[in-house]
Amino acid sequence: MKDNTSDKFLHRVATDLLDRFGNDLQHVAIVFNNKRPQLFLKKYLAEISGKPIWSPHFFTIQQFFAESSSLVCASQLKQFFVLLSEYNTLLAEEGKEPVSADVFYPLAEIIVSDFSQIDYYMADPDKVFNLIGNIAELEQQFPNFDKEQLEFMESFWASFSQVKQSSIQEKFIEMWHRMPRLYINFHKRLAEQNLISSARMYRNLAEARDSNSDFLKNYKHVVFAGFNALSKAEEILFKSWQDQGLCSFYFDADEHYFADPIQEAGHFIRRNIKTVGLENQFKIQENRIDIPEKQFTIIQALGKVAQGKILNQVLQGNEDKNEPDSKAIILADESLLLPVLQTVDDESLNVTMGYPFEQSAVFGLCDLWLSIQEEIATADQASIAYSHVLTYIFNPLVGIEEQTRNRIHSEIIDEKKARFSLLELRSSGKISELTFSPFESPVQVIRNLGSLLLFVSEQIADLRKLESLLIAEAVKTLNVLSDSFEDLAQNSSMPEINARFVLKMIRRALAGLSVPFDGEPLLGLQVMGLLESRCLDFDELIVLGMNEGVLPKISITPSFIPDNVRRAFGLPVLENQNSIFAYFFYRLLHCAKKITLVYNGITDEKSTGEESRFIKQLEFETSCKFLHVLQQNQPVEIAFQQEIIIEKNGQVLERLQKYLHRNALEKYDKKISASGFTDYISCPLKFFYGKIAGLKEPNDLPDQIGPHAVGNMLHAVMEHFYRDSIGKEVNAAYIRQREKLLPAMCQHAMATILKLDPKSELQQQSALQQIISKVIEQYALKILEHDASIAPFVIKELEEKDAYTPLFTIEVNGKEEHVRLMGIIDRVDTQEGKIRIVDYKTGKDQVKFKDFDSLFIEEGKDQNKALLQTIFYTIVYEKAKNVEQVEPHLYTVKDFSDGTLFLKKNKVDNLVLRDENLADFKDQFEIKLKEKLNELFDTSIPFRQTSNVDACKYCNFKGICQR
């Protein structure tokens, strides 16, 4: 294809402007929808003229219309407070309670948006908000409505014509009734303060009131370029000015969609020219879209981020061009900017979009600060939860001293400190002082955040340039917000503002910020959003985010004005939005020779996984070339998992041998516990990590109560309950009598295990702690219910620490050695002449087991760890006390239906572990115990991972093993 620079819209505009106005161009005003086309038009004017010329005046449409009024456009915050004041005045007249700022704000956004559309589209608010259900009344009130408009109105209000409305309908009608007066009072109050809304400015100009329509005479001529959808006010003004010869129009359109009356992309251009009567300075271009040589490549990417990553492939082999109109990356989904920046070399990009503040580390700090302030403002005490403190001390922008950070972290993890006083936190530095100060006033809290950001920018030596720019932009925005609140504070009629609303406004103001990138705007590969691409043409296009629901968008602005009423009064509806986005997309295709369209093919909560309907339309409407790449496979390196093997030599062997008994060093012997033994059975590597390497299990956070903590609490409660009964006979009456003490015992156990200080005002029980306390109480009651059913019995010992540590003979490398076994047994009692080992379990453990061999099969799913541990305790106790016939009993607090003695699952054998069956089982267990301990100390057998992946699900070391 030949070079088509001369066909590009702005190049044609520049040529025509020079032909029409020549040396008078400096007296011409050129108005665009946005600023970006101004740079390109200046470039073309300079190239075509070939000599220095005076530049015309450039405006955006908002800037241009602002010249028509002496009134100042009110800020969003000012409009909100005026609307709130007037709304509460109406409520007071109705005898209703006023609404607070934070409650009203979401409603206010919708109301202001509705009022703006009423003004932009010149609708009568009294008629829009008129409650009419009868068709005769409709015909009388709206004589200019056609049949379709009347049907729209009647169909909506028919649902409200019933004698009895629902409560939602009644509230809607109440709100609807207030709207006409609220509209009038809102604009009247703004005008009294020499303020106006942007939409009202348009309306006043169109109605020739309270505005200066002579402002156009400041210029020899006004040119409106690249406009598409116009509001009713703009239509009236543009037609009037055109008739007076004050302005002219350049519409960018193509025959492909202009000539087809049902093609949505041409809807507004057709309306502007054929219905409104605006004259296009250009003839509609012949069809430049339906060209057989035009190439479309449709790529389905596997995920949202993958759309950005695909650019490495799409851009590969393309020569770099410095011409700004040669190639562009268009982001239909602007959230794809970061994946693009992370994929393509920054030096080759010219990003015309701003970097979103919301996706920066600086916003992360601001968001944390706001969350902390919200908690401080809503809490009933001068303290804050550990979760915010933990996040705060590890934020890299805060710069907390390492010693202070470690101390606070230790208090949270080791001491289970759940809350911190604001006073103690403020003492850890200037940033902390600004963060943990209580809310005083809107202005003060905004200034505190601004001071904090400035302090961060001074304190962090290696702060990146972008982060410095983000901080500067944030501080500027905060200053404007602070000034707005300060002005409002001088208004005595302003309602009281609570902290929650102020913090919400700060977050909202910061979330919408963006910082422009540095660089030469007319060089390199252009990256821009769809709105920024208006009026611009490129030889090659790469459009990311070509998903249905993104292009066109399916979301609409919330409104109190129903769709039927909107249609009746010509207010915007969803079809208008579809037409606007269709035009944005189709006009990009005017001059492009090569187009790559990329969409996310994965369906999830944020994506339909469907390509945009515009792609299917193009295939149907045109004879262009289409290549579909169904899958965009990112290169994936498969890392084959390698088995972790720890040989028993060197330091590993040295630590392992500390478990072997040595007379001279007996007091230093390490002991084999029941949990250590079961760890080795299930996974030798787990034993290594926990017992040889000494890795500790992660502690629960203060508000986390894991299964281990629940078990410890129950053990503590049961020990407390029977502590005074050691050596005595316990009967059912005694148990029933002491049951009333359980709530206090549970509270005490929780305070002990979680290291709570019941006297501290900061340590109030959370809802979770109260629930867990009740759960522990119910568990204890189940145990006591069973105990009462088997009473009487005598408690012999409870939770004796290191009381049972007998020596056990093993064989190491052909030599006899000894290891010391250890068991901390929950309870030892005697019942009907039998000594019983009682082990409490709060998990899914059960008394049934498959068979003896299954207990020691590493790959099996039938390991009964509770049986292994309880038998281990029994062997240890018998050897330590030199007794026999001790019975192991398992108290599974969730279910006592199978009793407390272990039994085989196979009912045919009816094998219950007691008496002779138990004796045989113990003999087999001792043999297997010795065999496994011999294996543990065998230097030729390394520590290996288990092959049973199911055993890894709840292992504390699974992250290390990468299982």
Side-chain angles (χ1 to χ4, degrees):
M1 291 184 183
K2 64 180 180 66
D3 179 74
N4 59 352
T5 300
S6 60
D7 291 335
K8 292 178 179 176
F9 175 66
L10 291 178
H11 191 280
R12 294 166 60 218
V13 170
T15 302
D16 196 64
L17 287 174
L18 289 169
D19 290 343
R20 291 172 63 194
F21 301 105
N23 294 330
D24 290 333
L25 194 58
Q26 60 182 308
H27 303 299
V28 174
I30 300 177
V31 184
F32 289 107
N33 256 319
N34 58 321
K35 290 183 178 181
R36 190 64 184 168
Q38 297 174 13
L39 293 170
F40 283 79
L41 184 57
K42 288 178 183 178
K43 170 182 178 292
Y44 291 137
L45 286 171
E47 289 176 353
I48 296 169
S49 66
K51 62 181 181 179
I53 60 171
W54 290 102
S55 172
H57 299 271
F58 287 100
F59 296 94
T60 64
I61 186 68
Q62 292 82 6
Q63 291 171 338
F64 187 69
F65 275 17
E67 291 199 346
S68 70
S69 176
S70 59
L71 301 178
V72 177
C73 279
S75 68
Q76 183 183 18
L77 191 62
K78 181 64 179 180
Q79 290 187 54
F80 165 74
F81 277 109
V82 169
L83 191 70
L84 173 62
S85 175
E86 295 305 317
Y87 190 80
N88 279 334
T89 299
L90 294 179
L91 288 179
E93 292 176 4
E94 298 173 18
K96 292 183 170 61
E97 292 293 320
V99 295
S100 63
D102 59 311
V103 171
F104 185 64
Y105 189 79
L107 296 178
E109 286 189 301
I110 300 174
I111 294 171
V112 169
S113 174
D114 285 344
F115 286 176
S116 294
Q117 291 195 347
I118 285 173
D119 285 334
Y120 280 130
Y121 290 86
M122 309 293 289
D124 186 334
D126 284 329
K127 292 182 177 179
V128 169
F129 297 114
N130 207 336
L131 279 171
I132 301 174
N134 184 281
I135 189 66
E137 289 182 88
L138 283 169
E139 291 175 345
Q140 182 181 5
Q141 288 285 336
F142 306 106
N144 297 324
F145 273 12
D146 58 30
K147 182 179 179 182
E148 187 179 28
Q149 287 176 301
L150 290 172
E151 288 175 352
F152 283 143
M153 291 291 288
E154 185 186 23
S155 65
F156 175 72
W157 288 117
S159 63
F160 288 84
S161 62
Q162 305 298 323
V163 176
K164 185 177 180 181
Q165 284 102 11
S166 69
S167 60
I168 295 177
Q169 287 178 325
E170 288 175 355
K171 289 180 180 179
F172 179 84
I173 291 173
E174 286 179 4
M175 174 79 73
W176 196 263
H177 272 304
R178 297 183 192 115
M179 289 302 175
R181 288 186 62 195
L182 183 61
Y183 172 90
I184 294 170
N185 295 347
F186 169 67
H187 286 300
K188 182 179 178 182
R189 177 63 64 87
L190 286 176
E192 288 173 356
Q193 301 176 44
N194 291 320
L195 297 172
I196 194 171
S197 70
S198 177
R200 183 64 177 223
M201 185 186 295
Y202 278 51
R203 182 171 195 142
N204 284 352
L205 193 58
E207 293 178 346
R209 63 177 183 181
D210 299 329
S211 61
N212 174 24
S213 59
D214 292 336
F215 78 101
L216 270 76
K217 296 179 181 178
N218 295 331
Y219 312 99
K220 182 175 181 179
H221 196 76
V222 179
V223 171
F224 294 94
F227 283 77
N228 176 39
L230 302 177
S231 66
K232 185 67 175 177
E234 289 171 325
E235 290 178 355
I236 293 172
L237 288 168
F238 289 177
K239 183 65 168 67
S240 172
W241 293 340
Q242 176 183 268
D243 292 346
Q244 298 174 56
L246 299 174
C247 70
S248 56
F249 303 91
Y250 292 106
F251 294 117
D252 187 14
D254 188 278
E255 184 185 14
H256 176 78
Y257 52 80
F258 183 83
D260 184 350
I262 64 171
Q263 225 294 350
E264 55 191 346
H267 171 74
F268 285 107
I269 299 292
R270 288 192 297 271
R271 175 178 172 81
N272 294 339
I273 295 174
K274 297 181 178 180
T275 304
V276 180
L278 303 181
E279 297 175 8
N280 190 4
Q281 291 298 308
F282 294 147
K283 290 183 178 180
I284 300 298
Q285 289 281 84
E286 62 183 18
N287 198 327
R288 294 167 292 168
I289 294 177
D290 187 5
I291 299 176
E293 293 81 11
K294 199 180 288 279
Q295 300 176 23
F296 287 88
T297 301
I298 316 300
I299 301 179
Q300 179 193 63
L302 300 178
K304 180 176 179 178
V305 174
Q307 295 178 78
K309 300 302 180 184
I310 199 177
L311 291 173
N312 276 333
Q313 287 179 251
V314 175
L315 298 173
Q316 191 173 11
N318 288 341
E319 68 277 9
D320 291 327
K321 292 183 179 180
N322 285 327
E323 289 300 320
D325 54 2
S326 64
K327 188 188 303 181
I329 298 172
I330 308 295
L331 305 183
D333 179 356
E334 295 191 4
S335 66
L336 293 172
L337 176 60
L338 286 185
V340 170
L341 295 178
Q342 292 165 357
T343 304
V344 185
D345 180 19
D346 290 349
E347 294 182 1
S348 66
L349 296 180
N350 182 352
V351 183
T352 65
M353 304 166 60
Y355 184 91
F357 184 71
E358 200 170 11
Q359 297 183 27
S360 69
V362 179
F363 181 77
L365 175 61
C366 294
D367 187 58
L368 172 62
W369 186 89
L370 289 166
S371 298
I372 290 172
Q373 285 292 313
E374 285 167 354
E375 184 180 350
I376 292 172
T378 55
D380 297 329
Q381 50 199 349
S383 67
I384 191 164
Y386 83 91
S387 54
H388 280 137
V389 177
L390 193 61
T391 306
Y392 173 80
I393 63 175
F394 284 104
N395 189 296
L397 295 179
V398 171
I400 288 286
E401 292 182 1
E402 184 177 1
Q403 184 178 357
T404 303
R405 182 173 64 244
N406 292 341
R407 174 182 59 79
I408 294 174
H409 185 247
S410 177
E411 289 176 359
I412 293 172
I413 301 299
D414 299 332
E415 300 176 21
K416 297 290 187 291
K417 190 169 182 177
R419 299 194 70 84
F420 288 77
S421 72
L422 299 181
L423 190 59
E424 66 174 305
L425 291 171
R426 283 202 295 272
S427 63
S428 58
K430 179 64 176 178
I431 293 180
S432 298
E433 183 182 339
L434 293 167
T435 301
F436 298 103
S437 294
F439 181 89
E440 296 178 12
S441 69
V443 173
Q444 186 59 49
V445 76
I446 295 170
R447 288 178 178 171
N448 281 352
L449 179 55
S451 299
L452 180 144
L453 291 175
L454 289 174
F455 192 81
V456 167
S457 67
E458 295 170 0
Q459 178 176 290
I460 306 298
D462 58 347
L463 199 66
R464 293 182 302 170
K465 182 178 180 181
L466 180 60
E467 290 170 334
S468 298
L469 291 172
L470 288 167
I471 288 176
E473 191 67 26
V475 170
K476 187 193 304 181
T477 300
L478 291 171
N479 287 338
V480 172
L481 192 61
S482 173
D483 292 344
S484 298
F485 272 107
E486 197 165 25
D487 292 341
L488 291 167
Q490 298 172 4
N491 185 349
S492 58
S493 64
M494 188 184 75
E496 183 179 349
I497 304 172
N498 62 31
R500 185 169 53 183
F501 172 74
V502 177
L503 297 170
K504 183 188 296 184
M505 293 302 298
I506 296 172
R507 179 177 273 110
R508 188 177 186 86
L510 294 178
L513 288 180
S514 62
V515 175
F517 287 85
D518 290 337
E520 171 54 50
L522 293 177
L523 289 177
L525 175 61
Q526 305 283 310
V527 178
M528 60 183 64
L530 197 62
L531 293 179
E532 294 172 295
S533 71
R534 288 176 290 184
C535 298
L536 307 183
D537 293 299
F538 302 95
D539 300 328
E540 182 177 347
L541 284 173
I542 303 167
V543 185
L544 306 184
M546 283 295 300
N547 276 83
E548 186 67 20
V550 177
L551 190 62
K553 289 184 179 179
I554 57 174
S555 60
I556 57 174
T557 305
S559 172
F560 286 123
I561 305 175
D563 181 77
N564 302 51
V565 178
R566 301 179 77 84
R567 293 178 187 277
F569 287 92
L571 299 178
V573 292
L574 183 59
E575 290 93 314
N576 296 150
Q577 180 173 276
N578 291 344
S579 297
I580 290 170
F581 279 93
Y583 175 75
F584 289 163
F585 175 68
Y586 271 85
R587 67 148 306 280
L588 280 171
L589 309 179
H590 290 175
C591 297
K593 306 170 187 176
K594 181 179 179 182
I595 303 103
T596 302
L597 307 177
V598 185
Y599 70 98
N600 175 15
I602 294 180
T603 303
D604 55 31
E605 65 276 5
K606 294 183 179 180
S607 172
T608 61
E610 291 182 74
E611 62 185 14
S612 168
R613 74 184 78 162
F614 295 153
I615 296 176
K616 295 171 182 165
Q617 283 180 202
L618 283 169
E619 290 188 272
F620 176 76
E621 296 170 349
T622 71
S623 56
C624 302
K625 298 176 182 178
F626 285 85
L627 171 64
H628 282 267
V629 181
L630 297 180
Q631 295 291 329
Q632 189 273 311
N633 293 313
Q634 298 292 333
V636 177
E637 293 183 5
I638 301 175
F640 293 99
Q641 186 172 341
Q642 294 183 348
E643 183 182 11
I644 299 177
I645 300 174
I646 307 296
E647 298 291 344
K648 296 173 183 174
N649 53 33
Q651 194 176 28
V652 173
L653 180 59
E654 183 181 330
R655 292 188 178 187
L656 178 61
Q657 289 179 338
K658 288 184 179 180
Y659 283 95
L660 296 177
H661 175 65
R662 300 289 184 265
N663 288 330
L665 302 173
E666 184 173 340
K667 64 179 180 179
Y668 299 114
D669 285 354
K670 297 190 73 172
K671 306 171 184 68
I672 303 290
S673 66
S675 60
F677 178 68
T678 54
D679 281 350
Y680 183 77
I681 296 300
S682 61
C683 177
L685 191 63
K686 183 178 182 181
F687 180 90
F688 166 77
Y689 285 141
K691 307 303 179 183
I692 306 300
L695 301 182
K696 295 182 179 179
E697 296 182 7
N699 290 330
D700 289 333
L701 291 169
D703 61 351
Q704 294 177 338
I705 305 177
H708 185 69
V710 171
N712 287 342
M713 289 178 205
L714 178 63
H715 285 73
V717 169
M718 296 312 302
E719 181 185 2
H720 191 182
F721 190 92
Y722 283 127
R723 175 57 62 187
D724 295 337
S725 305
I726 294 177
K728 302 175 184 177
E729 183 177 88
V730 175
N731 56 35
Y734 175 83
I735 293 172
R736 299 302 181 202
Q737 181 184 0
R738 284 180 62 81
E739 279 182 356
K740 60 186 179 183
L741 302 176
L742 273 181
M745 291 180 181
C746 292
Q747 296 286 345
H748 181 266
M750 176 167 288
T752 302
I753 300 301
L754 299 184
K755 299 181 180 178
L756 303 177
D757 182 1
K759 296 180 181 179
S760 172
E761 295 181 359
L762 303 182
Q763 294 285 14
Q764 295 183 356
Q765 266 200 345
S766 66
L768 176 62
Q769 290 170 353
Q770 294 177 36
I771 293 170
I772 294 296
S773 181
K774 286 294 183 183
V775 169
I776 299 300
E777 185 179 337
Q778 292 302 310
Y779 283 171
L781 283 171
K782 284 194 172 185
I783 292 174
L784 295 174
E785 181 182 347
H786 175 77
D787 281 351
S789 71
I790 65 168
F793 53 85
V794 176
I795 299 290
K796 292 177 67 66
E797 298 172 29
L798 293 170
E799 301 278 355
E800 294 295 332
K801 307 294 189 291
D802 291 335
Y804 322 116
T805 56
L807 290 174
F808 190 78
T809 303
I810 62 172
E811 185 177 308
V812 178
N813 298 327
K815 179 183 176 184
E816 184 179 282
E817 296 279 5
H818 297 85
V819 293
R820 194 170 289 281
L821 306 181
M822 180 190 72
I824 301 176
I825 302 172
D826 296 342
R827 175 172 122 194
V828 182
D829 63 28
T830 58
Q831 194 255 346
E832 295 182 351
K834 289 282 188 182
I835 300 176
R836 305 191 321 153
I837 298 295
V838 176
D839 193 23
Y840 305 125
K841 293 293 185 184
T842 57
K844 297 180 179 180
D845 300 283
Q846 55 182 342
V847 294
K848 293 181 179 179
F849 66 99
K850 183 180 179 182
D851 53 42
F852 181 83
D853 291 336
S854 66
L855 300 175
F856 298 92
I857 297 176
E858 179 185 313
E859 294 80 5
K861 296 182 180 180
D862 297 309
Q863 278 188 358
N864 188 322
K865 290 186 179 180
L867 174 53
L868 282 172
Q869 289 186 356
T870 313
I871 288 291
F872 187 96
Y873 292 144
T874 304
I875 299 294
V876 167
Y877 184 83
E878 288 181 341
K879 290 185 178 299
K881 297 294 185 178
N882 197 23
V883 295
E884 295 179 347
Q885 298 183 351
V886 176
E887 286 185 352
H889 286 256
L890 185 71
Y891 277 29
T892 56
V893 297
K894 294 181 180 179
D895 185 14
F896 280 94
S897 60
D898 292 320
T900 61
L901 287 167
F902 290 95
L903 64 152
K904 282 186 71 172
K905 292 180 181 178
N906 189 348
K907 294 182 180 179
V908 176
D909 293 349
N910 197 28
L911 189 149
V912 178
L913 292 189
R914 70 185 316 170
D915 301 330
E916 292 180 4
N917 290 336
L918 178 59
D920 291 341
F921 197 93
K922 289 177 184 176
D923 291 340
Q924 293 182 69
F925 184 83
E926 279 202 52
I927 294 171
K928 201 67 177 179
L929 175 61
K930 183 173 182 178
E931 179 187 317
K932 284 295 180 182
L933 292 178
N934 290 346
E935 177 187 300
L936 171 60
F937 290 94
D938 191 335
T939 56
S940 66
I941 302 176
F943 293 108
R944 294 177 180 270
Q945 291 170 293
T946 178
S947 58
N948 180 16
V949 180
D950 289 337
C952 303
K953 288 181 180 178
Y954 304 105
C955 177
N956 293 310
F957 309 117
K958 65 180 179 180
I960 302 174
C961 294
Q962 298 180 344
R963 284 293 182 92

